[in-house]
C-alpha cells in the first residue's frame, strides 16, 4: 500500500476501566477523544479489554501514533492497562515509540520509565514522579464527567493532550496544565474556597510537584 | 506504593504529632468523598485506619500533608506561584 506523503496525525489512548479509579480516567478521557475527532486526528481508542499489551504494541507498530496518551496504574518501571496487565516496561522494545510524544496519566512512571523511553528515542514524555491523586464524589459514581471535585484534578490533566492536539508543543501543554492546577490551588487557598476545595489543596499540590516533562519540550504532533 | 523515604527518617515524636494533625484533617472529610492515591482508593474511615496504623499508605498520606504544610509555611507555594506566573509574562 502506498504511503501518503501527508500521513494523518494519530493519537493512541488507553482507557482501562477495571476499577473505580481507572473507570474515572476512562470517562474523563472522553473529552480528549472528542477534541481529536473534531480536529480530524485519527483516534486509536484502546478501551476496556483492548487496553492490553497485545493491542497496544500492535497499533504502535502498525500506526506509529505521534501522540500516545496512557491511562492506568503504574510504578517507576512500568505502566499497565486493563486488569493491571503491564503495557510498557523497561524491557519493552521501544523502537516504535521513536519520535512519539507520550503523556502517561499513571503513578510514578516519570521516575525511571519516562527517562528510559526518552533515552531510547521517544520525543517527549510527560508524566508523574509520584502517585497521581484525585478526589471523587460517590454521588457522581454513574456520571463521572459531572463530578465537580474530580474536575479540579482531571480537567487540568486533560490539558496536556488537548493542547498538543490543538497544535501546540509539549512544553506549552505542560505549562498550561501546571498553570491550570496552580490557578485551582490559589482558589482553594482563598477565603472563597468551598469546603471540598480546601480538603483537596494538599493533594493538588502533590500533583503539581510531581508532574514533569522529560525530553524535547518543543515536540509537536 | 513507592518507598516512603522521608517517612522512614521521622522520629517517634514527629510521627505522633503528624498523625494527630493528619487525623484531625481527615476526620472532617465527608463520607461521600473517596481519595484515589495511585492504585489505592479509600474513603475517610479507611484513610483514618491507615494513618492510625502508620502503615505504607498511612505514611504516604502523612507525607503529602507534611510536604504541603512545610511548603505553605515556608512560602514556597506562593513564591512558586509568583515566580511561575512572572516567568510566563
Amino acid at each position: 500500500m502506498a504511503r501518503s506523503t501527508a500521513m494523518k496525525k494519530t493519537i493512541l489512548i488507553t482507557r482501562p476501566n477495571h476499577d473505580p479509579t481507572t473507570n474515572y480516567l476512562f470517562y474523563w478521557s472522553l473529552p480528549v477523544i472528542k477534541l481529536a475527532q473534531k480536529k480530524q486526528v485519527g483516534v486509536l481508542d484502546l478501551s476496556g479489554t483492548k487496553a492490553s499489551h497485545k493491542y497496544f504494541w500492535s497499533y504502535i507498530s502498525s500506526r506509529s501514533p505521534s501522540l500516545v496518551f496512557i491511562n492506568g496504574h503504574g510504578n517507576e518501571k512500568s505502566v499497565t492497562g486493563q486488569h493491571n496487565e503491564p503495557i510498557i516496561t523497561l524491557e519493552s522494545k521501544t523502537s516504535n515509540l521513536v519520535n512519539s510524544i507520550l503523556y502517561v496519566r499513571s503513578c510514578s512512571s516519570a521516575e525511571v520509565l519516562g527517562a528510559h523511553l526518552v533515552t531510547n528515542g521517544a520525543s517527549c514524555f510527560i508524566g508523574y514522579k509520584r502517585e497521581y491523586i484525585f478526589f471523587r464524589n460517590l454521588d457522581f459514581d454513574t456520571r463521572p464527567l459531572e463530578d465537580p471535585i474530580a474536575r479540579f484534578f482531571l480537567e487540568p490533566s486533560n490539558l496536556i493532550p488537548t493542547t498538543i492536539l490543538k497544535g501546540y508543543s509539549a512544553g506549552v501543554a505542560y505549562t498550561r496544565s501546571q498553570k491550570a492546577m496552580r490557578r485551582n490551588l490559589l482558589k482553594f487557598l482563598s477565603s472563597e474556597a468551598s469546603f471540598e476545595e480546601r480538603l483537596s489543596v494538599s493533594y493538588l499540590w502533590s500533583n503539581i510537584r510531581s508532574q514533569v516533562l522529560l525530553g524535547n519540550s518543543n515536540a509537536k504532533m | 506504593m513507592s518507598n516512603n523515604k522521608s517517612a522512614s527518617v521521622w522520629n517517634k515524636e514527629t510521627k505522633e504529632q503528624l498523625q494527630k494533625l493528619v487525623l484531625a484533617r481527615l476526620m472532617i472529610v465527608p463520607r461521600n468523598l473517596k481519595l484515589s492515591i495511585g492504585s489505592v482508593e479509600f474513603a475517610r474511615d479507611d484513610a483514618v485506619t491507615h494513618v492510625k496504623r502508620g502503615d505504607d499508605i498511612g505514611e504516604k498520606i502523612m507525607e503529602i500533608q507534611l510536604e504541603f504544610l512545610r511548603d505553605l509555611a515556608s512560602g514556597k507555594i506562593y513564591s512558586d506561584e509568583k515566580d511561575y506566573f512572572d516567568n510566563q509574562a
Side-chain angles (χ1 to χ4, degrees), chain A residues 56-57 70 77-79 86-90 92 97 102 113 117:
Chain A
F56 179 82
W57 288 106
I70 297 175
K77 299 177 184 176
S78 68
V79 290
I87 285 187
I88 309 179
T89 69
L90 294 178
S92 298
L97 286 173
L102 287 97
L113 183 65
L117 293 173

Side-chain angles (χ1 to χ4, degrees), chain A residues 20-21 73 76 107-108 130-139 149 175 178-179 182 185-186 189 195-196 199 201-203 205-206 209, chain B residues 1-2 25-26 28-39 41 60-61 64-65 67-68 71-72 76-78 80-81 84-85 88:
Chain A
T21 299
H73 296 306
E76 294 87 348
C107 299
S108 309
R130 298 183 292 207
E131 289 80 5
Y132 182 73
I133 304 173
F134 64 93
F135 260 120
R136 69 181 185 96
N137 187 325
L138 292 176
D139 297 342
I149 195 164
T175 300
Q178 282 279 313
K179 200 170 179 177
R182 286 168 185 271
L185 186 79
L186 275 182
L189 288 170
F195 181 66
E196 286 82 7
L199 289 174
V201 66
S202 58
Y203 304 106
W205 179 242
S206 182
R209 294 290 304 273
Chain B
M1 196 66 66
S2 57
R25 291 170 76 89
L26 281 174
I28 60 172
V29 173
R31 288 182 191 276
N32 66 337
L33 293 190
K34 277 205 163 179
L35 182 63
S36 170
I37 299 184
S39 56
E41 185 188 72
K60 173 54 64 178
I61 295 171
I64 290 167
Q65 295 289 330
E67 181 187 57
F68 169 72
D71 289 348
L72 187 64
K76 181 176 172 57
I77 288 179
Y78 289 105
D80 268 9
E81 290 291 339
Y84 184 84
F85 286 112
Q88 303 309 311

